Amino acid sequence: MTVIEVAAAIIANDRGQILIARRKAGKAQGGLWEFPGGKLEPGESAAECLKRELMEEMGIGIRPTALFGVNEHDYGSHRIRLTAYEAEYEGGPIVLVDHDEYRWADLAELGQFAFAPADVPFIERLRRFAK
């Protein structure tokens, strides 16, 4: 089975809240929340992908700062390798393209959202920081 390389950005604001977004209905994992990001293009690093995807999908500038973790998840029809980076929000108003809602969520409330399965291990790790 082919592994699809995907990247996600864990972006915190100055109050320690994390940017999450809900995928539009009709898209893969539609209706589920995720850390914004997308598929890597050939020859692209995860950090480069995140800068491009966040500009394309949300109209914002970010600066990836540190690798947060890597998680592989088998969706049955395909398998993804999700690489998450912590990132700084550099500005721009958020304009949604592939999502129908976004939120700045406190670490303690992340468990209240239905996340895409590949993102769940990152949620669990972030919530440990909230205790």
Side-chain angles (χ1 to χ4, degrees):
M1 180 179 300
T2 304
V3 176
I4 300 168
E5 297 286 342
V6 183
I10 299 175
I11 306 164
N13 64 16
D14 55 2
R15 296 195 317 251
Q17 297 169 311
I18 305 294
L19 180 63
I20 60 173
R22 187 174 65 195
R23 294 183 60 83
K24 283 183 180 175
K27 295 190 98 30
Q29 308 301 310
L32 296 177
W33 291 84
E34 68 178 0
F35 298 111
K39 289 183 198 168
L40 276 70
E41 292 182 351
E44 188 176 49
S45 73
E48 291 167 338
C49 169
L50 289 172
K51 290 173 81 164
R52 176 183 54 76
E53 286 282 351
L54 272 286
M55 185 55 70
E56 290 174 3
E57 291 187 0
M58 298 184 123
I60 61 173
I62 65 159
R63 186 173 68 82
T65 57
L67 178 66
F68 185 78
V70 179
N71 179 46
E72 286 198 21
H73 186 81
D74 188 345
Y75 281 102
S77 61
H78 63 285
R79 184 173 187 83
I80 70 164
R81 179 178 300 117
L82 181 60
T83 302
Y85 268 84
E86 295 175 44
E88 292 178 359
Y89 179 60
E90 292 191 322
I94 295 175
V95 178
L96 300 178
V97 175
D98 285 342
H99 301 92
D100 61 12
E101 189 175 341
Y102 77 91
R103 188 162 301 166
W104 289 99
D106 291 319
L107 292 176
E109 66 183 354
L110 288 175
Q112 299 170 18
F113 298 90
F115 275 86
D119 289 78
V120 170
F122 300 136
I123 299 295
E124 292 167 356
R125 184 169 169 207
L126 282 166
R127 288 179 67 202
R128 284 197 296 269
F129 293 129
K131 294 184 172 150

